[in-house]
């Protein structure tokens, strides 16, 4: 639904307003009519006042892929936390860090951002730069030896991207990235 789109260019983004309202109520920690109304007004103000470029999303959520993404992310968090604590507690050990360049396969800003965020949330790695025009991520790895080397660190970023794509991308986007759904994902989708 738009409000005079030809004259003002404003558009109500109801899903965003609803989401911001929910976040507002959760931040206050109390479900009251006042918090709901104030959250909705704030959501309206943000969506109308802070115009953002639209995010192209042509895929859909694939439940099996999403479970694999979330499960593997949880495993990576635990494993990397343990590895970083070992590096931090080793006496007189100086980690050998590196900044590596990873060329992503997808050309979507959304998938680049999601991959970068998930990689940064895992201890021991952080995104130094994300170049959206080329689809490259520059990742700082805390300790190359603990990560298994530069190529293994690069492959772990590409694996994370593949999990994001299998969880959210359309079949065409997967094919463009040179990937395909896993057999069990296809079986669930065909039911």
């Amino acid at each position: 639904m738009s409000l005079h789109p030809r004259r003002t260019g404003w558009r109500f983004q109801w899903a965003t307003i609803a989401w911001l309202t929910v976040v507002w109520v959760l931040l206050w920690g109390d479900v009251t009519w006042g918090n709901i109304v104030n959250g909705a007004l704030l959501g309206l103000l943000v969506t109308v006042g802070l115009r953002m470029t639209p995010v192209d999303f042509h895929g859909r959520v694939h439940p099996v892929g999403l479970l694999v993404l979330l499960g593997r992310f949880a495993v990576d968090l635990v494993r990397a936390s343990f590895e970083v604590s070992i590096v931090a507690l080793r006496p007189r050990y100086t980690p050998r860090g590196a900044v590596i360049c990873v060329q992503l396969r997808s050309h979507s800003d959304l998938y680049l951002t999601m991959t970068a965020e998930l990689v940064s949330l895992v201890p021991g790695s952080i995104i130094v730069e994300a170049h959206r025009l080329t689809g490259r991520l520059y990742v700082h790895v805390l300790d190359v030896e603990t990560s298994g080397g530069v190529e293994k660190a690069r492959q772990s970023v590409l694996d994370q991207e593949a999990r994001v794509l299998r969880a959210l991308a359309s079949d065409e986007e997967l094919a463009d990235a040179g990937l395909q759904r896993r057999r069990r994902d296809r079986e669930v989708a065909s039911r």
Side-chain angles (χ1 to χ4, degrees):
M1 178 178 185
S2 56
L3 176 67
H4 306 298
R6 290 190 182 119
R7 285 186 276 169
T8 63
W10 292 357
R11 285 187 58 173
F12 288 125
Q13 299 170 348
W14 296 110
T16 305
I17 293 169
W19 174 247
L20 290 173
T21 302
V22 168
V23 170
W24 180 261
V25 170
L26 289 174
L27 286 172
W28 281 100
D30 192 18
V31 181
T32 64
W33 285 111
N35 281 342
I36 293 170
V37 170
N38 285 333
L41 289 174
L42 184 65
L44 181 65
L45 179 69
V46 166
T47 57
V48 171
L50 302 174
R51 300 189 21 157
M52 295 186 265
T53 59
V55 176
D56 288 332
F57 179 69
H58 302 290
R60 68 177 183 86
V61 176
H62 300 277
V64 174
L66 186 61
L67 285 174
V68 169
L69 174 68
L70 295 175
R72 181 57 194 262
F73 178 69
V75 168
D76 287 347
L77 278 177
V78 172
R79 180 193 46 79
S81 297
F82 179 73
E83 289 173 356
V84 168
S85 66
I86 294 295
V87 168
L89 296 174
R90 283 174 71 181
R92 295 186 300 270
Y93 177 73
T94 303
R96 200 185 87 191
V99 175
I100 60 172
C101 175
V102 181
Q103 178 66 53
L104 298 181
R105 296 169 284 217
S106 172
H107 302 290
S108 166
D109 290 347
L110 176 65
Y111 302 136
L112 178 135
T113 302
M114 291 182 75
T115 302
E117 288 298 325
L118 290 171
V119 168
S120 286
L121 287 172
V122 173
S125 60
I126 190 155
I127 301 299
V128 178
E129 182 180 349
H131 199 268
R132 68 180 285 264
L133 295 177
T134 61
R136 289 187 182 136
L137 293 179
Y138 294 89
V139 184
H140 180 269
V141 179
L142 175 67
D143 189 17
V144 176
E145 290 178 27
T146 306
S147 299
V150 171
E151 286 309 313
K152 187 170 180 192
R154 182 177 287 119
Q155 188 59 48
S156 71
V157 174
L158 291 172
D159 292 345
Q160 185 69 277
E161 179 197 25
R163 287 189 292 273
V164 167
L165 290 171
R166 286 190 177 108
L168 300 171
S170 67
D171 291 336
E172 294 80 26
E173 290 171 320
L174 270 177
D176 287 345
L179 298 170
Q180 61 182 352
R181 290 212 191 285
R182 302 226 163 123
R183 187 174 52 121
R184 64 183 164 180
D185 295 350
R186 289 191 301 263
E187 290 170 1
V188 170
S190 66
R191 292 182 191 167

